[in-house]
Amino acid sequence: MPTITINYVLTYELSFAPNYKWTEDGLCFNMKSGRLINKTMCGRSIGYCIQGKFYALNTLRKQLVKIKSERCPFSGREI
């Protein structure tokens, strides 16, 4: 059975919910569940449902922080 694997580079996370991470392309992932989070529209606002609450994009952009590199204890390299 053939399989396909896709790798994403995560660059941003939320300051108040660090398990939600974004790619440079704007894809949002929940790292606890490992799922892709879809953009939704609530009224006129476009945004994401984070921890059961809707946040508009203009609100989330203020809360994004760049993911810091960490040292991997097994290889000694930075990730």
Side-chain angles (χ1 to χ4, degrees):
M1 174 184 273
T3 60
I4 297 175
T5 304
I6 300 173
N7 294 327
Y8 294 103
V9 177
L10 303 170
T11 53
Y12 297 102
E13 66 184 7
L14 284 176
S15 60
F16 63 91
N19 59 313
Y20 288 90
K21 302 190 187 291
W22 273 264
T23 64
E24 284 289 332
D25 300 332
L27 297 174
C28 178
F29 291 94
N30 181 350
M31 299 311 291
K32 282 187 180 178
S33 65
R35 293 185 179 178
L36 174 68
I37 306 299
N38 294 324
K39 276 186 193 176
T40 57
M41 189 167 191
C42 184
R44 291 181 165 183
S45 302
I46 298 173
Y48 294 95
C49 289
I50 306 292
Q51 297 175 342
K53 187 176 176 189
F54 178 80
Y55 291 95
L57 286 179
N58 57 359
T59 306
L60 288 177
R61 284 190 185 110
K62 298 173 188 173
Q63 300 294 325
L64 285 178
V65 292
K66 194 138 179 118
I67 297 174
K68 298 175 184 150
S69 61
E70 299 176 1
R71 274 192 101 54
C72 182
F74 305 110
S75 67
R77 297 184 309 187
E78 284 194 17
I79 300 175

